[in-house]
Amino acid sequence: MLRIENLHAGIENKNILNGINLTIRPGEVHAIMGPNGAGKSTLSSVLAGKNEYTVSQGKVEFDGKDLLDMSPEDRAREGLFLAFQYPVEIPGVSNTNFLKTAVNEQRKYRGLAPMEATDFLKFMREKMELVEMDKSLTSRSLNEGFSGGEKKRNEIFQMAMLAPKLAILDETDSGLDIDALRLVSNGVNKLRSKDNAFVVITHYQRLLDYIVPDFVHVLYKGKIVKSGTAELAKELEQKGYDWIKTEVDTQNV
Amino acid sequence: MSLLQQIKEKDLLKAPSNALQKEAMSTFLAKGIPSRKHEEWKYFSFKNTFEQELVWADNLNSQPPINTQLHAIQANRLVFINGKLASQYSQLLDQIPGLIVSSIAEASTNHSNLLNAYFGKLAATTNESLNALNTAFDPQGSFVYVPQGAICKHPFFIQHITAATEQASFSQIRNLWVIEANAQAHFIESYESIGEKLSLTNVVSEIAVAENAVVNAYKLQQQQSAAQLNHYTQINQAAHSNVKQITISISGAIIRNNLHFKLNGTAANCVLHGLYVTDKKRLVDNHTRVDHVSPHCTSDEKYKGILLDESTAVFNGKIQVHLDAQKTAAYQRNQNILLSDHATIYTKPQLEIFADDVKCTHGATIGRLDEKSLFYLRSRGIPENVAKSMLLKAYAKDITDLIEEPELTQLISQFIEDNI
Ligand SMILES: Nc1ncnc2c1ncn2[C@@H]1O[C@H](COP(=O)(O)OP(=O)(O)OP(=O)(O)O)[C@@H](O)[C@H]1O
Ligand SMILES: [Mg+2]
């Protein structure tokens, strides 16, 4: 579904990603872990198409298409979704209107007619229940004044509405209370199928107890330096990153 | 023959004029068209337009089909084409004893005393030569008199259309609205043009608001791409009156607004908000002035701009707090979003404060569309142009939300959607 080959990217004269290789097949869940500043969010942003970053080398194939050649909106309409680590607040744009536009623009891209207002509301209510999102949030401006946890829940709610093929969750678990964490994880698990895939970026093993990954990768200094199964996450939880850092840094000397 | 030349000849040819017109003409001839050397006309001048061969619109006899989109609003309606009342489009819904809704020409026959008590008494002519020019000829336009205590159920919709289909044209419009004590009235004004030829419309509005009266006025300026508009508005408020004036400038080659408030009585409040959208090589110039003459008055001013292409906008907001105007509260903000590197905004607040116990704030910002927000929307599959217009509508929302006429708000959102 997604094939990243030797991806190098950065800003101006700073390299942040230094040769990422990663292949994701339908039905898989990949966890990406790694110390602060390793480049996890940069990787998500580059995949989603943020133009702040320049790709200097490498390629990314999404369902056989050249992902890096597409506009951010086309990537989304091809089925890519990024749950942001820091969702922005957009005053004056209502949550409902935003979602309706997004859903209908994606339908349009796929040659479907826009959803009827009543169908849309029903669909929205259904998905809201999935993440137990408070009704009052949908009538407010997009993320404006939402608490940290509410913003994260709203990301998952949007994901449920848009039903992407590949969803990247960038630290969606940070800032969630224990109940919300379970809820969001259940939401993700309910959306899991043999046709879609997830990339879960997290610092905490706890999330991976709920969303059990098929693979765990460690990103360090813009490279995937270790890959393994769910066991790797448990090992990291116990030992921290130092042993990996030392391993990598001594190799590079 | 140039427009300026025609003006001079027309003045000689017309019937002996009254004292007001005579004085106005001599002021106009003495001062001429303000050039860019004039402090208040730094960024453009109509001088060149007056050198063109424009035909006086009252010589044109066209009755072109007009835009009736806003006729969906249930309103007391007056439609003027090139200054002449088009009665087939006009209607009166509110039957209130003493209410007068007519053309100025009709009022000068039927209600001359009332008309003369206000006409030319509000808008200054001495330093305003284009006002003087407007005053020098027989006035064409709207007269609305709302008697004491009248609560008008329907808004007054006043549509002014300048037709320049075959020839470049010049027209002058005058509005005089008097809202007596304790009365309440809403106004919607639309300035439009038809045809692709050059046109210049020179408008003077005088609005007298008596004690405790409430007025909401929405001004929509949406002319064709070669149309130029000069609109001078003077609003005088008596004690405890409330006026909300929203100015929406969305199209036309040149729009120049002078909006002047005079808060003459204690505890009068005014809200003056505006939204301007400029593209191509268009220019919108808003000069506003609020005179706080009496104590305990408030003025709340906010103008927001969206600039595209190589367009230019000017905001010049003067607030003058007179010696006796203690406890004044005056707020002024001007915000701009530039969507192009070639657009230009000149913004200048001018506060002149002669009283000591006042609260005045002002601020101006110039920015771009927020990249992060734009990316967020696009990352959900919303195309760039749709995302931009969503953000711009959100930006304009605090202005458009003040318009309590859904049809009008809809028209403005549609405009932003279609043009950006
Ligand atoms: N726009 C930018 N300008 C400057 N530096 C940037 C920018 N974006 C990322 N960086 C830098 O690139 C590095 C990687 O950042 P990134 O946000 O991808 O890390 P991360 O792995 O997501 O970290 P965290 O776990 O703290 O979220 C950091 O050193 C960061 O400061
Ligand atoms: Mg991050």
Side-chain angles (χ1 to χ4, degrees), chain A residues 11 14 16 35-42 52-53 85 171 203:
Chain A
I11 43 147
K14 182 180 175 187
I16 302 173
N36 294 129
K40 303 179 299 295
S41 294
T42 304
E52 206 172 299
Y53 300 100
Q85 183 175 4
E171 292 198 29
H203 286 296

Side-chain angles (χ1 to χ4, degrees), chain B residues 5-277:
Chain B
Q5 205 57 41
Q6 287 179 63
I7 288 168
K8 290 174 185 165
E9 287 199 5
K10 191 176 161 95
D11 181 56
L12 295 176
L13 285 175
K14 78 170 193 237
S17 51
N18 59 41
L20 185 67
Q21 291 185 347
K22 233 185 211 138
E23 197 191 315
M25 193 65 204
S26 66
T27 304
F28 173 70
L29 292 175
K31 303 260 174 190
I33 320 295
S35 76
R36 293 181 59 167
K37 287 191 201 116
H38 193 297
E39 181 56 27
E40 308 293 336
W41 293 86
K42 270 173 129 156
Y43 304 105
F44 79 99
S45 164
F46 284 116
K47 256 186 147 71
N48 184 40
T49 315
F50 278 85
E51 295 306 325
Q52 310 292 313
E53 294 187 17
L54 303 186
V55 176
W56 270 75
D58 33 354
N59 296 335
L60 296 168
N61 245 339
S62 59
Q63 282 286 343
I66 66 163
N67 175 8
T68 55
Q69 190 189 350
L70 288 176
H71 292 200
I73 301 174
Q74 285 291 308
N76 301 301
R77 192 190 312 132
L78 288 176
V79 177
F80 295 88
I81 303 174
N82 288 335
K84 286 203 188 72
L85 183 67
S87 41
Q88 71 271 32
Y89 296 115
S90 303
Q91 65 179 23
L92 182 63
L93 299 181
D94 290 336
Q95 304 294 339
I96 296 171
L99 174 69
I100 304 168
V101 184
S102 77
S103 68
I104 292 206
E106 196 185 317
S108 65
T109 327
N110 298 341
H111 310 281
S112 65
N113 286 346
L114 196 52
L115 186 76
N116 292 334
Y118 295 94
F119 190 91
K121 304 272 195 306
L122 283 76
T125 50
T126 38
N127 272 318
E128 301 286 348
S129 64
L130 294 174
N131 286 2
L133 173 62
N134 185 293
T135 309
F137 294 92
D138 289 344
Q140 292 185 308
S142 68
F143 177 66
V144 176
Y145 179 83
V146 182
Q148 200 166 338
I151 312 288
C152 304
K153 188 167 163 236
H154 296 94
F156 296 91
F157 174 47
I158 297 173
Q159 188 178 19
H160 286 291
I161 298 156
T162 300
T165 41
E166 262 119 64
Q167 279 165 298
S169 78
F170 173 66
S171 60
Q172 300 212 97
I173 289 163
R174 192 91 189 186
N175 298 298
L176 174 59
W177 307 339
V178 178
I179 298 86
E180 289 289 19
N182 303 312
Q184 294 183 12
H186 294 213
F187 293 85
I188 302 166
E189 287 170 275
S190 179
Y191 290 84
E192 302 168 26
S193 72
I194 307 176
E196 295 305 316
K197 295 275 190 289
L198 172 67
S199 66
L200 174 62
T201 310
N202 185 29
V203 191
V204 174
S205 295
E206 295 179 292
I207 304 171
V209 183
E211 281 182 20
N212 215 30
V214 177
V215 173
N216 285 352
Y218 312 127
K219 184 184 287 179
L220 177 65
Q221 299 169 321
Q222 44 163 356
Q223 295 200 311
Q224 297 295 325
S225 54
Q228 305 183 0
L229 177 65
N230 179 55
H231 194 162
Y232 189 103
T233 304
Q234 176 70 47
I235 302 175
N236 287 6
Q237 288 185 238
H240 300 280
S241 62
N242 285 288
V243 174
K244 179 167 92 181
Q245 168 78 63
I246 318 282
T247 305
I248 309 285
S249 311
I250 52 181
S251 51
I254 294 177
I255 297 173
R256 163 70 183 229
N257 288 310
N258 273 298
L259 176 61
H260 293 197
F261 277 87
K262 207 163 187 179
L263 305 175
N264 284 327
T266 53
N269 307 306
C270 71
V271 173
L272 54 156
H273 284 205
L275 173 71
Y276 46 91
V277 183

Side-chain angles (χ1 to χ4, degrees), chain A:
Chain A
M1 171 180 288
L2 185 80
R3 199 195 344 251
I4 306 175
E5 272 174 39
N6 191 30
L7 183 67
H8 290 252
I11 43 147
E12 277 150 35
N13 36 31
K14 182 180 175 187
N15 294 330
I16 302 173
L17 302 181
N18 298 304
I20 304 254
N21 290 294
L22 182 65
T23 300
I24 297 169
R25 280 170 288 265
E28 293 178 350
V29 173
H30 290 243
I32 297 181
M33 304 182 80
N36 294 129
K40 303 179 299 295
S41 294
T42 304
L43 174 62
S44 343
S45 298
V46 169
L47 293 177
K50 197 168 189 175
N51 64 6
E52 206 172 299
Y53 300 100
T54 11
V55 174
S56 50
Q57 261 190 75
K59 62 178 187 186
V60 181
E61 232 176 55
F62 183 47
D63 262 353
K65 293 181 186 155
D66 182 358
L67 185 77
L68 300 178
D69 201 33
M70 290 183 225
S71 65
E73 51 268 38
D74 280 352
R75 298 177 195 205
R77 295 186 288 195
E78 287 290 337
L80 184 78
F81 180 90
L82 169 61
F84 287 86
Q85 183 175 4
Y86 305 108
V88 290
E89 301 194 7
I90 311 187
V93 171
S94 91
N95 222 346
T96 306
N97 186 38
F98 155 69
L99 269 172
K100 200 193 278 167
T101 311
V103 167
N104 283 333
E105 286 294 344
Q106 297 217 7
R107 289 176 66 89
K108 191 155 113 193
Y109 188 77
R110 291 169 200 143
L112 299 169
M115 256 178 147
E116 295 286 338
T118 48
D119 292 343
F120 178 79
L121 287 176
K122 197 168 144 247
F123 181 55
M124 199 165 88
R125 254 197 310 273
E126 238 172 72
K127 300 299 174 190
M128 250 155 62
E129 274 165 27
L130 188 75
V131 291
E132 286 183 25
M133 189 147 116
D134 198 289
K135 258 212 311 283
S136 69
L137 292 181
T138 56
S139 58
R140 279 163 56 179
S141 279
L142 184 48
N143 292 330
E144 192 190 23
F146 284 27
S147 76
E150 287 169 342
K151 282 180 188 162
K152 296 300 178 74
R153 243 186 246 215
N154 198 20
E155 295 291 291
I156 297 304
F157 170 51
Q158 290 171 31
M159 179 181 84
M161 293 289 291
L162 297 171
K165 279 190 244 171
L166 175 66
I168 304 167
L169 312 186
D170 190 358
E171 292 198 29
T172 303
D173 54 335
S174 323
L176 288 180
D177 65 41
I178 300 159
D179 292 334
L181 182 67
R182 201 171 36 235
L183 252 157
V184 162
S185 311
N186 283 341
V188 170
N189 287 331
K190 277 185 204 152
L191 296 169
R192 272 176 89 162
S193 80
K194 64 176 184 11
D195 300 317
N196 60 16
F198 291 85
V199 174
V200 183
I201 296 171
T202 182
H203 286 296
Y204 308 107
Q205 150 65 22
R206 177 197 286 275
L207 176 71
L208 304 180
D209 285 340
Y210 293 111
I211 307 174
V212 182
D214 300 298
F215 301 95
V216 174
H217 311 278
V218 179
L219 194 73
Y220 177 54
K221 291 191 174 168
K223 262 186 150 152
I224 291 179
V225 294
K226 209 165 198 69
S227 293
T229 59
E231 287 308 308
L232 176 59
K234 295 207 173 89
E235 199 179 344
L236 290 169
E237 178 86 1
Q238 278 178 6
K239 307 204 311 209
Y241 290 113
D242 277 353
W243 61 283
I244 295 185
K245 287 185 187 172
T246 332
E247 219 175 278
V248 174
D249 293 343
T250 46
Q251 267 170 28
N252 287 350
V253 173

